[in-house]
Amino acid sequence: MSLVKRYSSKKPYLASLSRRDAIKWIGALSVTAAFPGLTACSSQALAPQSELAKGHWPQLELPVINATGYGKDPNLIIAPRASWPRTLTAAQLTFIAIFADIVAPREGSVPSASEVKVPDLLDEWVSAPYERQQQDRVSFLHLLAWLDEEARRRFDNLFVDVTASQQLAIIDDIAYKKAMQSEEFVRPAKAFADFRRLVLACFFCSPAGVKDIGYLGNVPIVGDYPGPSDEAMTHLQGVLDELGLTL
Amino acid sequence: MMEGQINGHDYDVIVVGSGAGGAMAAYTLTKSGRKVLMLEAGRDYDPKTETPMFKSNFDAPLLGAGNSDKDFGFYDATVDGGWEVPGEPYTKGEGSEFLWWRARMLGGRTNHWGRYSLRFSEHDFKGFSRDGLGADWPFEYWDLAPWYDETEALVGICGTNTGLDDMPDSPEGVLQPPPKPRVPELLVSAAAKKLGIPTAPMHRAVLTRPKDDRQACFYATPCGRGCSIGAAFQTTTSLIPMAQATGLLTVITDAMVKEVNVDEKGKVNALTYIDKKTKQAHRLDAKVIILAASACESARILLNSKSESHPNGLANSSGHVGRNIMDSTGVSYGAHIPALEGRPKYNEDGHTANHLFIPWWGHKVQEKKAMAFPRGYHFEIGSGFRAPSSWVSGDLDGYGKPLKEIAKQAYGSYVGLALRGEMLPNDDCYMEIDEDVKDKWGIPVVKFHWKWSQHELKQVEHGLKTARQILETMGAKFDKPLPKAEDAILKGGQIIHEVGSTRMGDSPTESVTNQWGQTWDCSNLFVMDAGVFASNPHKNCTLTIMTLAMRNSTWLARQLDKGEL
């Protein structure tokens, strides 16, 4: 994997912006801290600090999302793209872009997660006023803050501004199943696992991702459904033989 | 849709509801020359222009994922409905959990349903005679069989005759050919076969051959979104336009029925509905009324229709309105199948739901009293190379290229078995009117009471064990013990097969309607939704709702001819 950094606080991720969002974004650029407005409060934190003896976990006070959803009868043909305001700052989007590209980097002609606008989808996701999304928002924003704490602790800088190999040194500690066994990494590793699955989901839903995972449906077929290909049936026959089964 | 002043007396029959029962009644009656007025509580809906057929999850908010606004995902055809309807609450008794699905739209729940269309068999109609539990239906399978034939031919059902005792055959030429099974379904079939359990093509209300002005399935786009080409059956692309073509059907949407009114002799003579747009109440004269508002909504209307002659609610002299509610039992159990990892890709959409399933195979064992539970279940198979969504399968670890490889290898290697089983009625499962709570239209709401009995829990326990055996035979490995039945079983109402609130029977003291859906207490009041079911076989209810509505409104038309009503 290339360790050249695509994004940093000097090279921010550029969201697909509406005019109104753009004004907000320019405002956010002038803010130097990564997480303005986030202060200590245990109310929405993942788990109280005292529960685990080792490690650290930020205690963020997150403003409650009380936007309205798209309702029971949205236009399904011209879908409302996030009818609620997006809430991530430019710094957070840049952070997520780096992070998403670590999860799903460019591979040859297959674009990376940020190239198919995964950070925009995640902004929509964590800003949505629904239960699953709100839970993810709490988890993900704490993870980002944890990564910054960790980058400061180890390398004395924001996560987005340490080198790519330093970023990976931190990620390596929380990205593998074994991290769940190490008490200090239980919480960031769990949050990372959830974030990773969602980043991949966003990526594979994109037109490039659909192709990459190999989904061949959603195409009208004239006549009868042809069923499995010869190759697929040959493979199945091998499976059946191995398991001692017959059709 | 409302033009000028509506006078109920201009119509032979008023039908409440436009879903499976109401639309079939309206179709049958208008075809026999009767003038019908249909009232629908939801909005007008046109699948031809409103169905997001080929949209990808990428086009939808939140990758199309479900939430409290759209429970089954953004593109689900249900509009203005779901487990919760704003301004239309329901309550639950202490310790009861129940979910009440409502679709406030023309065509009701037929717009999004699974379209599984299995005939009930002779076992299913005579449960009480077989094991002494619940109630028999007031007729035999063979009384209904010709009506199943007609309904299947009209609706368009794909499937085959299997000769299995759980799947009565249809006459030659009625069923349309089913699509070929997919690879994971064939693997399930082979594993089940080793365990002595048969599989069969699912019967679905999906056209694989064109019919009237509806097209054959083109094997793309999820049926739950609705089907603008009419291949997947919904009343909005079939029965309702066909009934309208007779010139004898008038439809009023946004009409929330509040109560059915009676004359001084206690006979039905009118109904009152709220026009949702103006919030005004309207009283419509009525000669004959068919309630097909969905089981619990029809029972709600009856219980809310109190009068001097019907102090406990209309048609409720038996006290059975709102009793005997049953849902299907539901459990999902699945596993990653290592042998399906990285298998060759092909277009696995098909008609988007089960091509093969596992019908109930245990009647003979149950006859010998050798099974720990009464009544059967079936398994629906969840599998396939699905359109990417907000969930990625696989035992994900790490990041980057190796991570993506894990996800790509796991794609299409997960198989889930969803149990749908028969529930028996019990005294703890019923609905009543909550006198303290009204909806935004001023109508008292329903209060549900719910508790599964040992029959359901034992059945689910058996199903979980069987599912695990099948999956293990396919090579799945499990590192956790099976979940307990009481933890695994889904909530009441969650399978959306609630039936029985106005059950039919032979006796006015034990049932609400006779075998024709005619209420014992009022000869000109009928129920033609799943409320009349005397039992809830494991098979999905819609085909039988439509079949009964066709049979019973044909009988109703004859009674009108004879001047009996």
Side-chain angles (χ1 to χ4, degrees), chain A residues 1 68-84 99 101-107 110-112 116-118 121 124-133 167-169 171-178 192-194 196-207 209-229 231-236 239-240 242-247, chain B residues 43 49-71 73-86 177 179-184 186-187 189-191 193-194 208-209 217-222 225 337 339-351 355 385-405 407-408 411 472-475:
Chain A
M1 185 192 313
T68 47
Y70 49 64
K72 292 273 177 186
D73 191 7
N75 188 328
L76 301 183
I77 304 298
I78 306 160
R81 191 85 250 174
S83 51
W84 43 89
F99 200 31
D101 283 356
I102 290 172
V103 170
R106 174 172 267 273
E107 289 181 69
V110 182
S112 73
V116 298
K117 296 288 170 197
V118 168
L121 296 183
E124 174 189 83
W125 186 277
V126 300
S127 305
Y130 302 108
E131 197 181 341
R132 178 179 169 194
Q133 285 73 20
Q167 286 169 348
L168 289 188
I171 298 291
D172 279 338
D173 283 338
I174 59 169
Y176 295 91
K177 269 176 237 145
K178 61 177 167 28
F192 180 84
D194 292 343
R196 172 174 60 199
R197 203 177 292 274
L198 188 61
V199 167
L200 277 188
C202 293
F203 171 75
F204 284 127
C205 280
S206 73
V210 165
K211 221 169 130 191
D212 194 35
I213 205 164
Y215 173 63
L216 299 172
N218 208 30
V219 175
I221 290 168
V222 180
D224 287 334
Y225 173 65
S229 62
E231 195 195 359
M233 284 305 285
T234 305
H235 176 267
L236 172 65
V239 169
L240 293 171
E242 211 167 291
L243 294 168
L245 301 173
T246 54
L247 285 180
Chain B
R43 75 159 168 89
T49 58
E50 295 192 58
T51 306
M53 296 285 277
F54 286 97
K55 301 283 184 187
S56 84
N57 287 327
F58 200 64
D59 300 323
L62 308 175
L63 308 177
N67 56 45
S68 55
D69 276 336
K70 296 281 284 184
D71 304 79
F74 181 77
Y75 286 128
D76 181 70
T78 305
V79 297
D80 271 343
W83 301 118
E84 302 291 337
V85 178
K180 282 184 189 168
R182 309 169 176 98
V183 162
L186 290 169
L187 184 56
S189 181
K193 184 176 147 194
K194 191 174 177 182
T208 58
R209 297 288 178 269
C217 181
F218 50 41
Y219 308 105
T221 88
R225 296 179 180 186
I337 308 295
L340 292 178
E341 275 212 351
R343 63 194 174 94
K345 305 284 194 314
Y346 65 99
N347 181 343
E348 216 159 51
D349 280 1
H351 67 20
H355 290 188
F385 293 123
R386 304 279 187 80
S389 69
S390 67
W391 180 259
V392 175
S393 290
D395 193 8
L396 304 181
D397 202 32
Y399 56 85
K401 195 171 180 222
L403 167 72
K404 281 176 70 187
E405 279 312 310
K408 288 198 250 182
Y411 180 52
E472 278 173 344
T473 308
M474 294 163 69

Side-chain angles (χ1 to χ4, degrees), chain B residues 311-456:
Chain B
N312 299 320
L314 189 52
N316 195 24
S317 61
S318 65
H320 276 265
V321 174
R323 315 291 308 189
N324 313 307
I325 308 180
M326 297 160 271
D327 188 19
S328 296
T329 56
V331 162
S332 290
Y333 198 68
H336 162 70
I337 308 295
L340 292 178
E341 275 212 351
R343 63 194 174 94
K345 305 284 194 314
Y346 65 99
N347 181 343
E348 216 159 51
D349 280 1
H351 67 20
T352 78
N354 279 222
H355 290 188
L356 287 184
F357 84 118
I358 301 177
W360 177 236
W361 65 94
H363 291 127
K364 297 244 156 40
V365 183
Q366 282 175 326
E367 263 163 37
K368 291 180 206 145
K369 315 274 179 213
M371 218 168 252
F373 60 94
R375 313 303 170 89
Y377 61 85
H378 71 257
F379 281 120
E380 295 166 10
I381 302 169
S383 67
F385 293 123
R386 304 279 187 80
S389 69
S390 67
W391 180 259
V392 175
S393 290
D395 193 8
L396 304 181
D397 202 32
Y399 56 85
K401 195 171 180 222
L403 167 72
K404 281 176 70 187
E405 279 312 310
I406 296 172
K408 288 198 250 182
Q409 280 287 110
Y411 180 52
S413 68
Y414 179 91
V415 172
L417 296 174
L419 174 150
R420 296 288 178 268
E422 176 162 357
M423 172 195 175
L424 280 154
N426 71 57
D427 287 344
D428 296 315
C429 297
Y430 64 98
M431 50 167 273
E432 60 186 341
I433 296 300
D434 187 331
E435 299 295 346
D436 300 325
V437 184
K438 286 182 177 172
D439 67 13
K440 72 195 250 192
W441 317 110
I443 307 170
V445 309
V446 171
K447 183 175 196 174
F448 289 100
H449 301 265
W450 197 265
K451 197 178 168 193
W452 296 112
S453 79
Q454 284 304 308
H455 299 310
E456 288 78 42

Side-chain angles (χ1 to χ4, degrees), chain B residues 109-129:
Chain B
R109 303 185 203 171
T110 67
N111 293 303
H112 90 130
W113 58 304
R115 291 158 175 104
Y116 294 141
S117 301
L118 298 162
R119 289 183 181 212
F120 295 177
S121 69
E122 53 188 307
H123 309 103
D124 297 324
F125 291 106
K126 297 293 167 196
F128 177 78
S129 299

Side-chain angles (χ1 to χ4, degrees), chain A residues 9-167:
Chain A
S9 58
K10 292 196 181 69
K11 290 187 288 178
Y13 171 82
L14 296 176
S16 324
L17 301 168
S18 69
R19 264 177 65 86
R20 215 168 95 200
D21 283 341
I23 294 162
K24 270 167 49 187
W25 186 75
I26 290 161
L29 268 183
S30 62
V31 180
T32 49
F35 299 105
L38 303 179
T39 54
C41 175
S42 62
S43 62
Q44 284 189 302
L46 271 190
Q49 184 77 29
S50 58
E51 268 184 26
L52 296 175
K54 286 187 190 163
H56 56 102
W57 189 245
Q59 307 286 304
L60 307 180
E61 184 185 2
L62 302 175
V64 174
I65 300 258
N66 51 16
T68 47
Y70 49 64
K72 292 273 177 186
D73 191 7
N75 188 328
L76 301 183
I77 304 298
I78 306 160
R81 191 85 250 174
S83 51
W84 43 89
R86 296 189 182 188
T87 56
L88 293 182
T89 64
Q92 287 167 332
L93 282 170
T94 299
F95 201 137
I96 285 173
I98 290 170
F99 200 31
D101 283 356
I102 290 172
V103 170
R106 174 172 267 273
E107 289 181 69
S109 63
V110 182
S112 73
S114 74
E115 289 175 284
V116 298
K117 296 288 170 197
V118 168
D120 292 67
L121 296 183
L122 283 169
D123 194 1
E124 174 189 83
W125 186 277
V126 300
S127 305
Y130 302 108
E131 197 181 341
R132 178 179 169 194
Q133 285 73 20
Q134 294 259 339
Q135 280 171 3
D136 282 346
R137 172 171 171 267
V138 170
S139 165
F140 297 166
L141 290 181
H142 280 78
L143 175 62
L144 298 190
W146 181 88
L147 288 166
D148 255 346
E149 286 177 4
E150 198 65 9
R152 280 186 194 282
R153 203 170 62 81
R154 295 193 203 184
F155 310 112
D156 197 28
N157 210 339
L158 294 171
F159 183 84
V160 297
D161 290 332
V162 301
T163 68
S165 55
Q166 287 169 335
Q167 286 169 348

Side-chain angles (χ1 to χ4, degrees), chain B residues 64-219:
Chain B
N67 56 45
S68 55
D69 276 336
K70 296 281 284 184
D71 304 79
F72 285 81
F74 181 77
Y75 286 128
D76 181 70
T78 305
V79 297
D80 271 343
W83 301 118
E84 302 291 337
V85 178
E88 298 186 28
Y90 51 93
T91 62
K92 285 160 269 187
E94 214 181 304
S96 288
E97 284 193 296
F98 188 84
L99 290 164
W100 190 19
W101 184 270
R102 288 154 298 166
R104 295 287 187 236
M105 62 196 298
L106 190 69
R109 303 185 203 171
T110 67
N111 293 303
H112 90 130
W113 58 304
R115 291 158 175 104
Y116 294 141
S117 301
L118 298 162
R119 289 183 181 212
F120 295 177
S121 69
E122 53 188 307
H123 309 103
D124 297 324
F125 291 106
K126 297 293 167 196
F128 177 78
S129 299
R130 284 164 58 81
D131 56 30
L133 298 164
D136 283 344
W137 294 55
F139 49 73
E140 308 269 337
Y141 169 72
W142 292 107
D143 295 322
L144 203 58
W147 297 98
Y148 271 133
D149 300 350
E150 275 206 50
T151 304
E152 286 177 344
L154 172 66
V155 165
I157 307 284
C158 67
T160 50
N161 288 332
T162 62
L164 296 169
D165 68 1
D166 200 41
M167 297 179 75
D169 285 349
S170 304
E172 203 60 37
V174 166
L175 297 175
Q176 300 195 347
K180 282 184 189 168
R182 309 169 176 98
V183 162
E185 293 171 328
L186 290 169
L187 184 56
V188 170
S189 181
K193 184 176 147 194
K194 191 174 177 182
L195 301 171
I197 299 170
T199 49
M202 180 54 97
H203 288 197
R204 285 191 79 214
V206 171
L207 300 180
T208 58
R209 297 288 178 269
K211 193 172 195 61
D212 43 68
D213 62 348
R214 294 173 284 156
Q215 294 174 47
C217 181
F218 50 41
Y219 308 105

